[in-house]
Structure formats: C-alpha cells, structure tokens
Amino acid sequence: MGNKKKDSWVIHLLFSLLSFGMIIPFVLVLIASFTDEKAILANGYSFFPAQWSMDAYRYLFISDPGVILRSYGVTIAVTLIGLVLSLLVTSMLAYPLSRGELPLKTALSFFIFFTILFNGGLVSWYLVYSTVWDLRDTIWALIIPNLLLNGFNVLIMRTFFATTIPPALIESAYIDGAGELRIFAQFVIPLSKPVFATIGLFNTLAYWNDWFNSLVFLSKAKFYSLQYLLNMSLLNIQFLSQKSQNASTASLMDMIPQETMRMAMAIIGVGPIILAYPFFQKYFVKGLTIGSIKG
C-alpha cells in the first residue's frame, strides 16, 4: 500500500513538472506581447520586463480592427459548422463499419486505411476542389478540403463503437421496432460522448489552426481565416524589414513593434482555443484510449 502511494506521488510530481514546463513558454509569450518593443530589443525576453506596453495590440486592433474581427468571425463560424458536419459524417461512416453484418466491411475499412497512407497529390487535390466542386472563394473551401473527413478519426470512432456499444442493446432496440436511424440517434450517440468529445477536439483544433485552405482557395479577403491573416501579416512584416533600405521604409518599420507583435499574434491565435479544452477534458482520455484499441 505504501509503495503504491509513493508511486502515485512520483507520477503526480512528474506530470506536474511536465505541465509546468509546457505552461512556462506560453506565459513568457503572453508577457512578451505586453512588453515594450525597446525593452525586448535591449534586454531580451523576460518574465519581469523593464517596461510594459500595449503597442502590439494597439497596432493589430486599432489600425484596422474590422479585418481581425471579421477573420475571427469567419474562423469561429468555420470551426462550429465544420465541427458539427465532421462529427456527423465521421460517425455515420464509422457506425456501419462497426457492425459485423455490413457487406464488404473489410474492403471498406481497408479503403479508409489506405487513404491515411496515400493520397492523389496536391495538384489533383486542388483540381478536384477548385474545378469539379468549384469551391474557390466560398466558405466551403475552409470546411471541406482535408478537414471534413479524416480516416484516422473514422477508425478511432469505429473501434469505439465496436468495443463499447453492447450488441444486445441494438438487438433489443430492433425487437422493440426501432430503425437504424433511431438506434443511432437515441442509443449510440448518447453512449458515445467520450469518443465524440475526443474527435471533436481534434477537429476543433484542425479547423481553428488551418491556414492552408485560405492560401490555396481564397482570393477574397472577406473569407480569410484568422490564422491565414496573422500568417500573412507576419510575412508582410518580414518582407518590409528585409527591404527597409530607404529612409521612409526604415522609419515605418521603426513604428511597428515587430517582436512584440509576433507574440501578440500567437496569443490572439491560440487564446480562444485554449478555452475550449476544458469542455472536452472530461471525456478526452477515455475516448482516446478506448477508441485506439485495435478492433
């Protein structure tokens, strides 16, 4: 009993140190975003800056607040819509694969697994979505390509259904006259909250952090996602700093808090998604561990 208690303390101490080591860099970035640019250039990054400043956030929000707020709205809408649709599509594909009576179950499972290992290449991927489906400059270009359905998530959810949902429950529902859709909606989904929370967290992170779809499919600024806007702003700053040869450009670059603005961009981009994690934490570990067992 004493050895178990000692081992428990060692594990708690180890994970506390790991958690502390992961939190410290984020805290440093947060503090640096509120530090004066000249203080960072003179003293470097510090947990106790010599001078505080809001210049980075003023530059990002006050210079043109509508752009960032619009991008926030686009990213939030894309994340919410994409999360609901991706969970719906993934679960409706995974549930039949978990049933033993599905015809060609092995072939379909192999096809899904094959898509994890191989793809058709970037050119064919772009032609399908831009020419065949014509998703360019639409909000669907941020929802469907590469994000709506993932083979890895399908296999995790299929394994969870196969190992967690009792076959006797489905048989009894059949006897009572329930159809497939009613069984799935009223019995399978309520019993599968852990795996839905796990896949939901994966999809939320994927949609929130995506910038590549905006780069490839969008030319209209009104559909730019937050991550793409921040990435584009950072590249523009780097370009101007490299080309700041004449006096006017150099004076302009002196007005821009480059280092602190990079930190502010990181906080703006990652801040809201951190708030979503506690809502998934209750079911996350259970859904991941059960769903990852080979089915």
Side-chain angles (χ1 to χ4, degrees):
M1 190 69 179
N3 290 334
K4 289 183 178 180
K5 188 174 182 180
K6 182 179 178 180
D7 293 341
S8 177
W9 275 105
V10 171
I11 293 174
H12 282 95
L13 179 62
L14 177 61
F15 279 96
S16 297
L17 292 175
L18 289 174
S19 301
F20 186 74
M22 294 177 183
I23 292 173
I24 284 299
F26 178 78
V27 174
L28 181 60
V29 171
L30 178 63
I31 293 175
S33 68
F34 288 99
T35 304
D36 183 72
E37 179 77 8
K38 294 179 181 179
I40 284 187
L41 295 177
N43 306 318
Y45 296 97
S46 173
F47 289 101
F48 305 98
Q51 185 175 353
W52 299 90
S53 175
M54 293 282 293
D55 289 344
Y57 293 96
R58 289 194 191 99
Y59 184 85
L60 288 173
F61 285 99
I62 297 179
S63 60
D64 194 359
V67 175
I68 291 184
L69 294 178
R70 183 176 63 241
S71 297
Y72 253 119
V74 169
T75 300
I76 292 173
V78 166
T79 302
L80 293 178
I81 296 172
L83 174 63
V84 173
L85 292 179
S86 61
L87 285 177
L88 181 63
V89 173
T90 302
S91 60
M92 293 184 71
L93 177 59
Y95 175 65
L97 291 174
S98 68
R99 303 288 296 276
E101 61 269 24
L102 177 70
L104 302 176
K105 172 185 173 182
T106 303
L108 290 174
S109 298
F110 175 78
F111 176 77
I112 294 172
F113 177 72
F114 188 84
T115 63
I116 302 176
L117 303 178
F118 304 99
N119 59 66
L122 183 61
V123 174
S124 58
W125 171 80
Y126 174 77
L127 290 176
V128 168
Y129 287 114
S130 63
T131 305
V132 179
W133 287 22
D134 194 21
L135 297 181
R136 288 172 298 180
D137 290 323
T138 66
I139 197 70
W140 297 107
L142 305 179
I143 296 175
I144 297 177
N146 275 357
L147 299 171
L148 184 64
L149 189 62
N150 182 283
F152 178 73
N153 293 342
V154 172
L155 295 181
I156 288 181
M157 193 169 283
R158 179 211 63 176
T159 307
F160 185 94
F161 290 151
T163 57
T164 305
I165 306 300
L169 177 65
I170 298 177
E171 292 177 4
S172 63
Y174 271 134
I175 294 175
D176 291 338
E180 290 288 354
L181 186 60
R182 184 177 179 183
I183 293 174
F184 178 71
Q186 295 187 357
F187 296 95
V188 176
I189 292 180
L191 293 174
S192 305
K193 290 180 181 178
V195 76
F196 273 87
T198 302
I199 303 303
L201 179 60
F202 290 161
N203 291 339
T204 300
L205 293 174
Y207 277 109
W208 186 269
N209 293 323
D210 177 68
W211 58 270
F212 186 71
N213 285 353
S214 297
L215 174 66
V216 173
F217 295 107
L218 299 184
S219 60
K220 297 180 180 179
K222 66 178 182 178
F223 291 129
Y224 284 170
S225 65
L226 177 65
Q227 300 296 342
Y228 178 67
L229 178 67
L230 298 178
N231 182 64
M232 187 171 57
S233 300
L234 183 60
L235 292 177
N236 289 338
I237 294 173
Q238 292 176 347
F239 176 79
L240 289 175
S241 62
Q242 293 173 359
K243 300 298 181 181
S244 57
Q245 302 296 330
N246 55 60
S248 61
T249 307
S251 61
L252 175 62
M253 293 307 299
D254 291 338
M255 296 172 58
I256 300 176
Q258 300 179 47
E259 293 297 327
T260 56
M261 198 167 75
R262 290 188 180 97
M263 303 301 106
M265 287 179 180
I267 296 300
I268 291 172
V270 76
I273 201 64
I274 293 178
L275 302 177
Y277 182 75
F279 296 99
F280 298 95
Q281 185 179 11
K282 181 179 179 181
Y283 304 104
F284 180 73
V285 175
K286 182 180 179 182
L288 187 61
T289 52
I290 295 179
S292 61
I293 300 173
K294 183 177 179 181

